[in-house]
Amino acid sequence: RPPPMMDGVPVDYWVYAARPPEEWEKAWAHSEDLIRALAAEVKNDGASFALLVVTARDHVYPDSWRQVLDTYPGMSEKQWDLEGPERRVLDLSRREKIACLHLSPIFAAHRGDGERLHFVHDGHWTAAGHALVAKWLAAFLSENDLIQADKTEVR
């Protein structure tokens, strides 16, 4: 069935608007407030808090974004910033001093290594994408003292 639309654009894609509509700005502000509140609550409980910025197929694979633009011609009339959502989260993590793993540069560096990292039909990670995240996430958690590294060899 067709996706919900706003001004000729599927609603979900407005997250990439170079100048987001007011309701998206409010949603971002609310999301940032929730992240700050959660981080404070986690810290008050004596635990550590970190963020993981997940990837989007349309950002990692330029051909996927071109296909979106071809599917919804009205989108070509607007300005998009595919890095905008990630930049917002990264800026928040810097301001709030929250450890953050940014996956898009890692996925971009490995997208040509063989198997796709995102499925073509829905954008979820493939087995190769999950394996790449597992490797980098384990290192990130260990390097940021968020987990104790297990020295036991896995077979």
Side-chain angles (χ1 to χ4, degrees):
R1 68 182 183 219
M5 305 287 282
M6 184 177 95
D7 196 21
V9 174
V11 171
D12 290 350
Y13 288 113
W14 284 101
V15 72
Y16 297 122
R19 288 181 305 278
E22 183 181 347
E23 59 266 29
W24 277 93
E25 289 294 348
K26 288 179 182 176
W28 275 113
H30 184 65
S31 296
E32 289 180 4
D33 289 344
L34 290 171
I35 291 169
R36 277 191 287 276
L38 180 58
E41 194 166 321
V42 167
K43 186 177 180 180
N44 287 341
D45 285 345
S48 299
F49 183 81
L51 293 170
L52 173 73
V53 182
V54 299
T55 60
R57 173 192 58 199
D58 301 328
H59 183 205
V60 173
Y61 291 98
D63 59 317
S64 292
W65 181 246
R66 278 191 298 279
Q67 184 178 16
V68 169
L69 296 177
D70 290 345
T71 302
Y72 303 102
M75 290 181 67
S76 296
E77 301 167 7
K78 299 177 179 23
Q79 291 185 331
W80 304 103
D81 180 2
L82 296 180
E83 295 178 9
E86 293 180 1
R87 195 170 40 253
R88 283 180 182 258
V89 175
L90 293 170
D91 288 347
L92 174 68
S93 73
R94 277 190 285 279
R95 283 192 317 269
E96 301 296 324
K97 297 177 179 43
I98 298 171
C100 183
L101 176 57
H102 184 202
L103 292 174
S104 285
I106 297 164
F107 269 56
H110 292 277
R111 71 178 160 227
D113 289 354
E115 184 181 345
R116 278 186 66 103
L117 303 170
H118 291 89
F119 288 111
V120 174
H121 63 280
D122 71 2
H124 286 90
W125 295 333
T126 62
H130 280 277
L132 185 62
V133 172
K135 173 185 166 185
W136 283 85
L137 182 56
F140 169 81
L141 293 172
S142 180
E143 289 166 8
N144 286 279
D145 293 322
L146 298 170
I147 59 168
Q148 293 293 327
D150 184 2
K151 305 296 183 199
T152 308
E153 184 177 329
V154 177
R155 295 178 192 243

